[in-house]
Amino acid sequence: MAAAPSTTASPSIEKVDFLKLQNGSDIRGVAVAGVEGEPVNLTEPVTEAIAAAFAAWLLDKKKPDSSKRLRVSIGHDSRVSAQKLQDAVSRGIAGAGLDVVQYGLASTPAMFNSTITEDDKFSCPVDGSIMITASHLPYNRNGFKFFTNAGGLGKADIKDILELAANIYNNFTVESMKDAERKAASSVKRVDYMDIYTSDLVAAVRKAAGNIEKPLDGFHIVVDAGNGAGGFFAAKVLEPLGAITTGSQFLEPDGLFPNHIPNPEDKAAMKAITQAVLDNKADLGIIFDTDVDRSAAVDSTGRELNRNRLIALMSAIVLEDHPGTTIVTDSVTSDGLTAFIEGKLGGKHHRFKRGYRNVIDEAIRLNSIGEESHLAIETSGHGALKENHWLDDGAYLMVGFYCFCSCEVYLTNVKLLNKLASARALGGSGGSKVLTELVEGLEEPAVVVELRLKIDQSHPDLKGGSFREYGEAVLKHLDNITESNPKLQKAPVNYEGVRASGYGGWFLLRLSLHDPVLPLNIEAPSDEDAVKLGLAVLAAANEFPALDTSALDKYVRVS
């Protein structure tokens, strides 16, 4: 007679390299099958193990006494895999003995806020929070961001969690997974936390505007959410403040992103919101990425307020409140921005490494050694303020665009939706002119070039080494060539790659944080000058056969 199957046997699960899921301070993977060459590696069991590992990490950090059960909130963006991953996360958290609070569709900033909000009705504050998102990546991807009341987790924390998750995953049994499912069924609570998050934003704007009920009355503002999680902003934030939002688009969540990539850096996305502003004769347009931690704007004339312009605008606002403060940015910001921040605004520009956590952590480090910094912001649209717990919050930035004045910062310390309202209250001009005036004097290059030089990892020239070692060798060679070129001047302070000025412009070649790619940025006053800078880089790059220089070859030939 055959023995009955064991309920403690290991379930049938595939081997997974958990550390490959790390993307800086986030976790990202493929959650939906169907894209050639992209096998699913973020399965439900993998997700459950990661959530259980976060629970164990949280217990170790918080060290609660036996009378306290820790709580973890879970939210997600509009991706098609969101629901199944939310359920898997819930099983992992509940299986570890923690309570689960599901928020459903939410924004990344709101998830952090849930760790500091005090409201028993919404089971807040929670002890930890998980946002299920892959930012602007394609529909088949997904991932996780983690928070405690101290902020977002760093790279080292994510590595620890993934190593622990691998052990948990390898020790799963049929019975342990069933037990987690039973615990989740009894311990999950569902609340609409976005109601309290948005009401706090609205209350903050009203208070900062002098307790006016509708400080945006008469302003026409269109929102483009890109079918991500930011559709709430029009109806739940702008309209209660009196704004007209007709013409807003792509507010309905749709994880296939049928209209454009929800990404303020994407040209098609920016073209879409610009057209919406012009078609509706709006005062302002606002665009968010998928999980609402990045944003950009368009003024009433169709001028984009993103990248260097967004940084210049935020710097102008922050330096009014904090004269002389240091503005920390990523490495690809322009020389014109430096001149604007330091020459016109009287601040200090500290250009650091690419990557929003790098920029934020550097601002925190500067404050710790006595150098005041109140703003850390990337050209991608990630912007974080010291007064807002160093959280990169696209909705927070946009809220402050309208009520900027000499009044105190209240409640959630909104910095941006208040500018227009205060301008009207003080008798200023309408529309978004008040915003564009803040960036007058920003020198902008005539030519902006961004190229990606890929490293062929299968090329014999790598000699079995890593793409990172190969990329560093390219940079070292370029550094030497630049040093000996009398027409180029290396940046005196530089934290990433090789940056040099010459021919009236500059170039930066750096190694991607995660991919076998050397991104190249060039800014110059003319195509001819940009080509000269490109040729200087090409002279070094051509010495490395595994480096695909076709994009740069084409640029210098065609231009």
Side-chain angles (χ1 to χ4, degrees):
M1 181 176 177
S6 171
T7 58
T8 60
S10 297
S12 177
I13 53 178
E14 297 179 2
K15 289 187 177 181
V16 175
D17 186 344
F18 275 76
L19 291 180
K20 285 189 176 180
L21 295 171
Q22 181 163 7
N23 187 284
S25 55
D26 301 340
I27 290 173
R28 290 179 181 172
V30 179
V32 177
V35 177
E36 186 177 353
E38 297 188 10
V40 173
N41 58 2
L42 198 60
T43 62
E44 291 181 65
V46 167
T47 296
E48 188 171 329
I50 291 171
F54 175 63
W57 179 91
L58 195 62
L59 286 165
D60 180 62
K61 296 294 180 183
K62 298 286 186 180
K63 293 181 170 56
D65 60 46
S66 57
S67 65
K68 176 177 172 59
R69 282 174 64 92
L70 298 186
R71 279 187 303 228
V72 174
S73 59
I74 306 169
H76 59 76
D77 65 19
S78 60
R79 293 173 183 279
V80 294
S81 56
Q83 189 61 55
K84 70 175 184 179
L85 294 190
Q86 178 182 253
D87 291 342
V89 169
S90 298
R91 292 194 295 272
I93 298 297
L98 280 63
D99 289 335
V100 177
V101 188
Q102 290 183 353
Y103 291 167
L105 188 71
S107 71
T108 290
M111 298 312 297
F112 166 73
N113 252 46
S114 69
T115 69
I116 58 175
T117 297
E118 295 189 7
D119 193 317
D120 289 338
K121 179 182 176 183
F122 291 89
S123 299
C124 289
V126 295
D127 301 286
S129 183
I130 301 175
M131 178 65 179
I132 303 171
T133 182
S135 188
H136 62 280
L137 293 183
Y139 78 94
N140 65 322
R141 310 293 183 87
N142 217 326
F144 312 105
K145 296 181 179 182
F146 303 89
F147 301 95
T148 68
N149 60 358
L153 272 60
K155 295 178 184 177
D157 299 319
I158 299 301
K159 185 173 183 287
D160 290 344
I161 287 170
L162 286 171
E163 288 175 344
L164 182 56
N167 291 330
I168 292 171
Y169 182 81
N170 291 330
N171 288 293
F172 271 151
T173 65
V174 171
E175 182 54 42
S176 69
M177 296 182 80
K178 286 183 177 178
D179 184 56
E181 191 170 356
R182 285 193 295 269
K183 288 179 177 178
S186 61
S187 69
V188 170
K189 182 178 181 180
R190 295 175 179 83
V191 300
D192 187 0
Y193 177 77
M194 291 303 291
D195 274 353
I196 191 171
Y197 174 72
T198 54
S199 65
D200 280 353
L201 287 178
V202 169
V205 176
R206 286 172 175 159
K207 196 165 188 178
N211 294 316
I212 300 172
E213 180 72 12
K214 295 190 175 183
L216 302 182
D217 189 34
F219 282 111
H220 191 171
I221 304 169
V222 296
V223 176
D224 185 326
N227 301 112
F232 69 87
F233 200 75
K236 291 194 172 185
V237 177
L238 295 178
E239 290 177 11
L241 293 169
I244 302 163
T245 63
T246 53
S248 292
Q249 59 193 17
F250 318 140
L251 304 183
E252 291 300 315
D254 185 337
L256 294 177
F257 311 125
N259 295 291
H260 62 67
I261 298 170
N263 180 5
E265 285 191 287
D266 182 68
K267 290 182 180 179
M270 291 306 297
K271 183 179 179 180
I273 182 61
T274 299
Q275 196 60 52
V277 168
L278 296 175
D279 289 347
N280 291 279
K281 296 181 173 58
D283 296 306
L284 194 76
I286 294 173
I287 185 168
F288 295 114
D289 76 339
T290 319
D291 58 323
V292 204
D293 63 355
R294 292 190 297 136
S295 56
V298 174
D299 72 12
S300 56
T301 69
R303 186 186 190 194
E304 295 177 5
L305 296 170
N306 63 349
R307 299 182 65 81
N308 284 290
R309 289 177 189 165
L310 178 62
I311 297 172
L313 180 57
M314 279 301 301
S315 298
I317 292 174
V318 169
L319 281 159
E320 285 253 357
D321 279 349
H322 307 285
T325 197
T326 295
I327 309 297
V328 181
T329 74
D330 59 342
S331 60
V332 300
T333 47
S334 71
D335 289 346
L337 180 66
T338 302
F340 181 78
I341 291 173
E342 298 187 348
K344 180 176 180 179
L345 301 180
K348 180 180 177 182
H349 183 197
H350 183 84
R351 188 184 287 116
F352 197 59
K353 298 176 183 177
R354 185 81 163 158
Y356 75 97
R357 279 307 320 180
N358 288 331
V359 173
I360 291 170
D361 289 344
E362 180 67 358
I364 293 170
R365 185 191 71 81
L366 290 177
N367 280 286
S368 74
I369 62 172
E371 181 174 341
E372 183 188 75
S373 176
H374 284 269
L375 174 64
I377 186 166
E378 266 203 312
T379 49
S380 66
H382 280 289
L385 293 153
K386 181 181 180 181
E387 66 187 32
N388 191 35
H389 312 279
W390 291 117
L391 179 67
D392 50 314
D393 185 341
Y396 183 96
L397 290 185
M398 290 301 120
V399 165
F401 262 146
Y402 302 90
C403 193
F404 172 69
C405 54
S406 59
C407 57
E408 282 183 59
V409 181
Y410 295 95
L411 199 61
T412 54
N413 303 306
V414 285
K415 211 52 177 169
L416 297 175
L417 248 194
N418 295 320
K419 180 63 180 173
L420 294 182
S422 101
R424 170 172 286 185
L426 296 172
S429 59
S432 53
K433 184 180 179 183
V434 65
L435 303 180
T436 52
E437 285 174 348
L438 286 175
V439 296
E440 284 183 0
L442 173 65
E443 297 174 14
E444 300 190 76
V447 179
V448 178
V449 181
E450 292 186 75
L451 302 172
R452 292 169 65 83
L453 312 184
K454 296 181 180 180
I455 299 171
D456 180 359
Q457 297 183 82
S458 62
H459 196 283
D461 199 48
L462 262 70
K463 299 180 177 65
S466 71
F467 78 81
R468 186 158 294 281
E469 292 172 349
Y470 197 82
E472 294 291 354
V474 175
L475 295 175
K476 179 64 176 175
H477 186 54
L478 176 60
D479 189 63
N480 291 336
I481 286 181
T482 302
E483 191 86 56
S484 61
N485 188 333
K487 294 186 178 180
L488 295 175
Q489 177 67 48
K490 284 172 53 180
V493 178
N494 184 49
Y495 294 92
E496 183 172 41
V498 178
R499 184 179 179 118
S501 299
Y503 307 106
W506 60 271
F507 71 74
L508 171 68
L509 186 70
R510 61 185 177 86
L511 184 58
S512 170
L513 296 175
H514 312 293
D515 303 317
V517 173
L518 288 162
L520 172 63
N521 293 81
I522 298 174
E523 292 188 1
S526 69
D527 286 323
E528 182 182 357
D529 292 319
V531 167
K532 290 176 182 176
L533 291 167
L535 287 169
V537 175
L538 193 58
N542 278 336
E543 299 296 318
F544 294 83
L547 188 63
D548 181 3
T549 61
S550 57
L552 182 54
D553 286 328
K554 181 179 179 181
Y555 175 73
V556 298
R557 284 199 314 269
V558 173
S559 301

